[in-house]
Amino acid sequence: MKLFRRFFYLSFRNNHYFCIGQYLFKTTKQQLMKQKHTVIVLFALILVSNLTSFTSYRTTSRLVSEDIDRALALTMQEQQSDVINQDTIRTFNNHLQIAELRGKATLAVDTRGRKFRAYAHCSEATIFNLSDQRPAMVLWVLTGFWAMFVWYRRHQMSDKTQPMMSACSGNSFGGLTYSEAEDCFYAIDGDTVQLTPMQHQLMEMFFQSSSYSLTKAEICRALWPKKPDASETLYTLIRRLKPVIEQHSNLKIESDRSKAYRLTIR
């Protein structure tokens, strides 16, 4: 009979660990899939933001080149000599339609061909400032918010799976797990079982016992060492602890003629 009970206990304990591992694997897999999708969206936002910014820059650069070429052509039509003077520069600047280019585009002469050539000494920063980066900025703001969301989800996943990891590594019995490292009890779904300090101490004593049983005298000495008779207090403690344990596990607290208490599987 004792051998059968021991076999049943080990089978249940191993099955409990398997259930925890299975639940942890399923939960982690689901969270990783969600996290994968959020990371994909993050990289997509980064890519679209860069493309939007680059497209706007290239468009502005093309408009600047076209404006300089047009101003050069009009200046050559009005220019009567091959000498660049103040009037030539003034005429060239007047023909520039982009006001920001005036004074930044330099007009020079090619002495070999006796022809005017315009060189735009506009820095890349100037062209970038001329380009419309508002759509790209909006996308970058959205990317920043999404990156914070990804970071939050990652930490949320870590916080959720940590109790399950603690549950797998703790002392488990009847669907209830005690983690010495965390000093708390976990249900099979990984949620923390809320206990009062006295209830927690009593359950810790049960789990430290190899038979999951304690005598009335042992409990009273540990919890109320200075109280001559703590029978009523112990009875109240057990009565309030029973529904909490039964709600979060497959355990129940049995009384052996009020001389001892033990945890048993329902």
Side-chain angles (χ1 to χ4, degrees):
M1 184 65 180
K2 290 184 178 180
L3 181 61
F4 174 77
R5 291 180 61 185
R6 182 62 178 173
F7 174 77
F8 175 78
Y9 162 71
L10 290 175
S11 299
F12 184 88
R13 185 184 180 116
N14 292 334
N15 182 65
H16 174 65
Y17 278 126
F18 173 77
C19 291
I20 291 178
Q22 191 178 39
Y23 178 85
L24 177 60
F25 175 78
K26 182 178 180 181
T27 303
T28 305
K29 183 178 179 181
Q30 292 175 348
Q31 293 295 328
L32 285 176
M33 288 299 295
K34 293 179 180 178
Q35 189 177 24
K36 178 182 178 181
H37 294 156
T38 57
V39 171
I40 291 175
V41 173
L42 175 61
F43 279 103
L45 284 173
I46 293 175
L47 179 62
V48 173
S49 301
N50 286 330
L51 287 176
T52 303
S53 177
F54 180 74
T55 301
S56 179
Y57 177 86
R58 293 293 298 174
T59 301
T60 303
S61 179
R62 178 177 53 81
L63 292 175
V64 168
S65 297
E66 291 176 354
D67 191 26
I68 289 176
D69 292 340
R70 188 194 60 81
L72 174 61
L74 294 175
T75 302
M76 290 179 64
Q77 292 176 4
E78 299 178 11
Q79 181 69 24
Q80 299 299 324
S81 66
D82 57 357
V83 178
I84 296 178
N85 51 37
Q86 292 296 328
D87 292 335
T88 306
I89 296 174
R90 188 181 303 110
T91 302
F92 178 73
N93 286 328
N94 289 336
H95 286 308
L96 289 173
Q97 292 183 345
I98 301 176
E100 289 80 0
L101 290 177
R102 294 167 186 170
K104 297 180 181 179
T106 304
L107 186 63
V109 63
D110 186 355
T111 58
R112 293 174 301 177
R114 299 288 181 178
K115 293 182 180 180
F116 290 107
R117 295 188 63 186
Y119 299 93
H121 291 279
C122 295
S123 64
E124 294 179 354
T126 301
I127 298 178
F128 184 83
N129 290 332
L130 291 174
S131 63
D132 185 10
Q133 296 294 326
R134 287 174 297 180
M137 290 300 297
V138 171
L139 288 172
W140 274 114
V141 171
L142 291 176
T143 302
F145 280 114
W146 191 261
M148 290 188 291
F149 174 73
V150 172
W151 178 85
Y152 171 76
R153 287 294 298 271
R154 182 176 181 180
H155 281 264
Q156 189 181 42
M157 176 184 172
S158 177
D159 294 340
K160 188 172 182 179
T161 56
Q162 184 61 36
M164 293 302 301
M165 295 299 295
S166 300
C168 288
S169 61
N171 182 10
S172 178
F173 178 59
L176 194 66
T177 302
Y178 173 63
S179 173
E180 294 184 4
E182 301 283 338
D183 192 27
C184 59
F185 289 87
Y186 294 103
I188 193 170
D189 58 359
D191 292 335
T192 304
V193 180
Q194 300 297 328
L195 299 171
T196 65
M198 198 67 69
Q199 291 173 347
H200 181 90
Q201 189 174 353
L202 178 56
M203 288 301 299
E204 185 178 351
M205 291 175 61
F206 275 125
F207 271 70
Q208 289 175 348
S209 172
S210 59
S211 60
Y212 296 96
S213 63
L214 298 167
T215 65
K216 177 181 175 181
E218 289 176 335
I219 300 174
C220 292
R221 275 198 308 269
L223 301 184
W224 305 282
K226 297 181 180 180
K227 198 168 186 178
D229 186 8
S231 300
E232 289 298 324
T233 308
L234 175 59
Y235 173 78
T236 303
L237 176 62
I238 295 293
R239 178 172 56 84
R240 294 178 178 176
L241 179 60
K242 281 182 177 181
V244 179
I245 299 304
E246 293 176 2
Q247 178 183 355
H248 294 89
S249 68
N250 298 319
L251 296 173
K252 64 178 180 178
I253 302 177
E254 290 186 344
S255 173
D256 185 9
R257 302 176 185 177
S258 299
K259 294 181 180 179
Y261 295 93
R262 66 175 176 271
L263 291 176
T264 60
I265 300 174
R266 289 181 286 163

